[in-house]
Amino acid sequence: MQILLCLSVALFAGLMLSRLAKLVKLPAVTAYLVAGILIGPYCLGLLGVKGLGFTTMEDVHALSLLSDVALGFIAFSIGNEFRLAQLKKTGKQATVIGILQAVSTTLLVDAVLIALHFVLGADRLPLPTAIVLGAIAAATAPAATLMVVRQYKAKGPLTDILLPIVALDDAVGLVLFAASFGVAKALQSGHVDIISILVEPVLEIVLSLLLGFVMGLLFNYFERFFHSRSKRLAMSVTFVLLTVALSMLSFTVPIGTAKVHVAFSSLLVCMMLGTVFCNVCDFSEELMDRVDRWTAPLFVLFFVISGAELELKVFREWTVVLIGVVYILARSAGKYIGARSSASLVKCEPNIVKYLGITLLPQAGVALGMAIKAKEGLGAEGLMIANITLFAVLIYELVGPMLTKISLLRAGEIKTHERTSARKQDNA
């Protein structure tokens, strides 16, 4: 009963707060995160009423399975943005920009935070924390960007190249995170060697993509046995759940005197599952629309739970706030400079060169997913990563969509005078 009460309170709080956020033109994801904080252990949970919010962090962690499933569907949705027919239209420009701006952002944030590590000391900012935060910085929030594009019906060269970039951006970010997370774990354990720093991360990336590829082919094969929409939706949910479960496998393989730890990234596996499925299945687009509707409550819970996991007490330390502010500034500079320089390199239009970087600032679901994985695998250092990421997400989700709108407006791709309400059209 307590779990069901917590779930219903979390959903209700997130949905109702999203109505208030709409009045002040804030994105829904911000409302969900704030709702999680309000019903979390440091606000409503202080009353100590079981079921009325989360009274302890243990109550929040008891719902971690929901977060794992939600992350699987988020990555699956990202994979569906990689349709070959669409990628051929954008060509080399989107690919080059997507990769270069993500890598340059990671390198800049890594450089700034590593420098801060030497200034503050290893106790205040551990080196593994700095390295992982650099990889998380590469991720952008596709949902926030798409929301602005669809709401204002933006059209033009900037919009055309922006949509595939935000998908590719997260894919590159997931790869960077897998490698950085492997390096961080190696540094944390004190065993810095080629196997732990290079071999294991590369194996994780390759095996994750391979597992996702195989699951995608199997998914497409079994999906064709059904013709009703409801059963195809059920099969889709089945394969995402199965893929998430298989990606949790881990084992050790002895190679000579060394032992190689083999694991999978559920984000990469599910992303490849979606990529393969959308390119080999002829009805994947229609099916994905139904999956997106089915997962809407799950995503609300994911963000509310993520907000509830925020350890507010860590912000009593000025160093955590300082690191968060530095991270935000460094990531913003990395996105803008990286997008501007790479767009100039591939000779994009002036408006793309000028405004693209600003539209890539929003950060939410995938970054939070990476932070949760870091929290699970790096202990206290992972906790710092999770809280800094949540702090940054709150800031970015407050200002990111607004900046995206301004950029598209100045690029001439939002025609405000052409927008009329459906009610006015009906009256006419």
Side-chain angles (χ1 to χ4, degrees):
M1 183 182 71
Q2 182 182 334
I3 293 176
L4 290 176
L5 281 174
C6 285
L7 290 176
S8 60
V9 169
L11 269 173
F12 182 78
L15 292 171
M16 294 307 296
L17 207 61
S18 69
R19 295 302 87 191
L20 294 177
K22 185 177 182 180
L23 295 177
V24 292
K25 300 181 180 179
L26 291 177
V29 66
T30 303
Y32 302 150
L33 289 168
V34 173
I37 295 173
L38 293 177
I39 67 171
Y42 295 101
C43 292
L44 191 60
L46 291 175
L47 297 177
V49 181
K50 292 291 185 180
L52 184 62
F54 303 102
T55 56
T56 65
M57 278 298 170
E58 285 70 25
D59 292 339
V60 183
H61 297 157
L63 301 176
S64 60
L65 180 62
L66 284 175
S67 296
D68 291 332
V69 173
L71 287 174
F73 279 101
I74 289 172
F76 179 65
S77 298
I78 293 171
N80 272 270
E81 296 297 327
F82 289 91
R83 298 179 183 273
L84 293 179
Q86 296 177 356
L87 291 177
K88 288 179 181 178
K89 295 179 182 178
T90 55
K92 185 178 75 172
Q93 289 182 330
T95 303
V96 172
I97 296 172
I99 295 174
L100 289 184
Q101 60 83 23
V103 173
S104 62
T105 300
T106 294
L107 292 177
L108 180 58
V109 174
D110 274 341
V112 171
L113 292 184
I114 289 173
L116 192 61
H117 156 78
F118 289 109
V119 173
L120 297 178
D123 293 336
R124 301 280 188 183
L125 178 57
L127 190 57
T129 300
I131 292 173
V132 174
L133 281 172
I136 293 175
T140 303
T145 304
L146 287 173
M147 178 187 68
V148 174
V149 170
R150 290 175 180 174
Q151 180 180 354
Y152 296 100
K153 297 180 174 61
K155 293 181 181 179
L158 176 58
T159 303
D160 291 339
I161 201 169
L162 171 61
L163 298 181
I165 285 177
V166 293
L168 183 62
D169 182 90
D170 284 334
V172 176
L174 292 174
V175 174
L176 292 172
F177 176 78
S180 298
F181 189 57
V183 173
K185 286 194 293 185
L187 292 173
Q188 190 182 60
S189 65
H191 300 289
V192 182
D193 52 51
I194 297 298
I195 290 179
S196 59
I197 292 180
L198 184 61
V199 176
E200 289 183 355
V202 170
L203 267 179
E204 180 173 339
I205 294 169
V206 173
L207 292 178
S208 295
L209 295 176
L210 180 61
L211 176 59
F213 180 79
V214 173
M215 294 302 294
L217 294 179
L218 291 174
F219 181 21
N220 179 64
Y221 175 75
F222 285 105
E223 194 77 49
R224 295 186 178 277
F225 286 104
F226 303 93
H227 301 286
S228 71
R229 293 176 177 177
S230 59
K231 287 185 173 60
R232 283 176 171 175
L233 174 61
M235 182 60 72
S236 303
V237 174
T238 299
F239 262 85
V240 174
L241 293 177
L242 176 59
T243 304
V244 171
L246 292 177
S247 66
M248 293 179 178
L249 292 172
S250 63
F251 47 91
T252 302
V253 178
I255 300 180
T257 58
K259 292 183 178 180
V260 177
H261 180 69
V262 178
F264 301 91
S265 166
S266 61
L267 296 174
L268 278 178
V269 176
C270 292
M271 184 193 72
M272 179 57 76
L273 171 72
T275 300
V276 173
F277 179 68
C278 78
N279 282 288
V280 299
C281 179
D282 52 2
F283 53 82
S284 62
E285 195 165 356
E286 176 192 350
L287 187 58
M288 273 307 303
D289 182 61
R290 298 179 65 83
V291 171
D292 288 341
R293 296 178 186 178
W294 182 87
T295 55
L298 182 63
F299 290 168
V300 174
L301 283 173
F302 169 71
F303 287 115
V304 173
I305 292 171
S306 297
E309 285 184 319
L310 179 61
E311 290 277 3
L312 297 182
K313 62 183 179 182
V314 301
F315 293 103
R316 298 171 185 170
E317 299 183 22
W318 65 269
T319 50
V320 174
V321 177
L322 173 63
I323 295 167
V325 171
V326 171
Y327 167 84
I328 291 172
L329 294 175
R331 179 182 178 271
S332 301
K335 285 292 180 184
Y336 182 77
I337 296 172
R340 187 182 182 94
S341 57
S342 56
S344 298
L345 180 66
V346 294
K347 303 185 185 307
C348 289
E349 295 183 13
N351 278 341
I352 296 176
V353 174
K354 189 174 182 179
Y355 296 113
L356 178 61
I358 302 174
T359 63
L360 297 175
L361 291 183
Q363 189 175 45
V366 176
L368 289 173
M370 294 177 182
I372 290 173
K373 290 297 180 183
K375 183 179 179 180
E376 293 173 352
L378 296 176
E381 295 172 5
L383 178 61
M384 177 181 283
I385 292 169
N387 282 284
I388 290 172
T389 304
L390 277 168
F391 173 74
V393 165
L394 282 170
I395 302 300
Y396 277 124
E397 287 302 288
L398 283 170
V399 302
M402 180 179 62
L403 292 175
T404 299
K405 174 190 172 184
I406 293 173
S407 297
L408 291 172
L409 191 61
R410 291 186 176 179
E413 302 194 3
I414 295 178
K415 309 296 184 182
T416 55
H417 63 278
E418 293 179 2
R419 298 183 72 242
T420 54
S421 68
R423 182 173 299 174
K424 289 182 179 180
Q425 290 178 341
D426 291 339
N427 292 334

